[in-house]
Amino acid sequence: MNDLKGAYGGLLAAVRAAGEDRLKIADSRPGREVIAPADRAADIGNEVQQLSATARAAGSSFDSLPKSVQIAFCVRTEAGEIVTLRVTSPFDYKRIKVGELVRPGFRVIAEEYRKPGLALSSATVQDKQALWQQFLAWAQQEQLDPSTFQAAKKDSNALARFLAAQPSDIIGRIVIPADIAEILLRRS
């Protein structure tokens, strides 16, 4: 394709030189151009659009996971470290040394399911699609239902958010005075 662009000044010019009755551009997005035989261009264009829509949907599925779960699949680790993820709400990840005891309620995320160092803020749709597939494979390996990892609803009240932010081992020991609980329940 680069040779065609160099020789004709652009992809569209190269297709015109070959004859639009023989070749058509099925997808013209920069860096993702697709050329197809004229008689199949419409079908191939539709297929490309469907694949793109599937990739966007998978990317948004990964975006629907809680941030701590997303980060667990991208966080960098030092040599000899592994990442564990709490598989019940509130979801949280911990980096631990290889050989350390995995805390109750946490599961190890094997390196094969992670993309360490990927910046979520600049991740492409394809990156997020790949992460979603890796998340699903990890959940299947760990025999977990992926739907349990739903992001917290934004309309939850302040008390629910406060309790969700606490470590699970101290939840039962927290005492919240009734007047403070009442104020927190009213705040969304």
Side-chain angles (χ1 to χ4, degrees), residues 63-95:
D63 286 338
S64 73
L65 294 172
K67 282 294 181 199
S68 57
V69 175
Q70 293 178 35
I71 293 169
F73 281 82
C74 300
V75 69
R76 291 178 197 248
T77 53
E78 301 293 325
E81 277 187 332
I82 56 174
V83 176
T84 61
L85 179 66
R86 183 181 326 193
V87 294
T88 57
S89 184
F91 303 107
D92 189 21
Y93 72 92
K94 300 282 183 217
R95 293 183 297 182

Side-chain angles (χ1 to χ4, degrees), residues 16-187:
R16 283 189 185 130
E20 290 188 42
D21 58 320
R22 294 177 36 205
L23 292 177
K24 292 213 184 245
I25 297 177
D27 189 358
S28 60
R29 290 177 294 168
R32 299 183 182 276
E33 295 94 346
V34 176
I35 302 170
D39 60 333
R40 296 192 53 222
D43 293 337
I44 291 173
N46 288 337
E47 189 176 320
V48 167
Q49 288 178 349
Q50 288 174 347
L51 290 172
S52 294
T54 301
R56 283 192 301 276
S60 68
S61 295
F62 186 76
D63 286 338
S64 73
L65 294 172
K67 282 294 181 199
S68 57
V69 175
Q70 293 178 35
I71 293 169
F73 281 82
C74 300
V75 69
R76 291 178 197 248
T77 53
E78 301 293 325
E81 277 187 332
I82 56 174
V83 176
T84 61
L85 179 66
R86 183 181 326 193
V87 294
T88 57
S89 184
F91 303 107
D92 189 21
Y93 72 92
K94 300 282 183 217
R95 293 183 297 182
I96 63 172
K97 296 287 183 195
V98 173
E100 271 186 45
L101 187 62
V102 176
R103 297 168 107 183
F106 282 74
R107 302 273 180 93
V108 172
I109 303 174
E111 281 301 305
E112 66 192 78
Y113 301 114
R114 298 181 355 90
K115 288 191 180 259
L118 177 67
L120 289 172
S121 60
S122 61
T124 65
V125 171
Q126 290 77 18
D127 290 336
K128 290 183 179 182
Q129 179 186 20
L131 280 168
W132 176 246
Q133 295 303 319
Q134 289 171 288
F135 165 76
L136 292 175
W138 171 79
Q140 182 178 9
Q141 171 68 30
E142 295 293 320
Q143 298 178 351
L144 298 168
D145 180 4
S147 66
T148 61
F149 294 89
Q150 296 303 312
K153 291 180 176 56
K154 297 198 185 297
D155 62 348
S156 66
N157 59 49
L159 180 60
R161 291 192 309 272
F162 171 76
L163 291 173
Q166 306 309 309
S168 59
D169 57 333
I170 68 162
I171 295 279
R173 297 179 294 184
I174 293 178
V175 177
I176 301 172
D179 60 332
I180 293 173
E182 184 180 3
I183 292 169
L184 291 174
L185 283 170
R186 281 187 263 148
R187 295 217 146 192

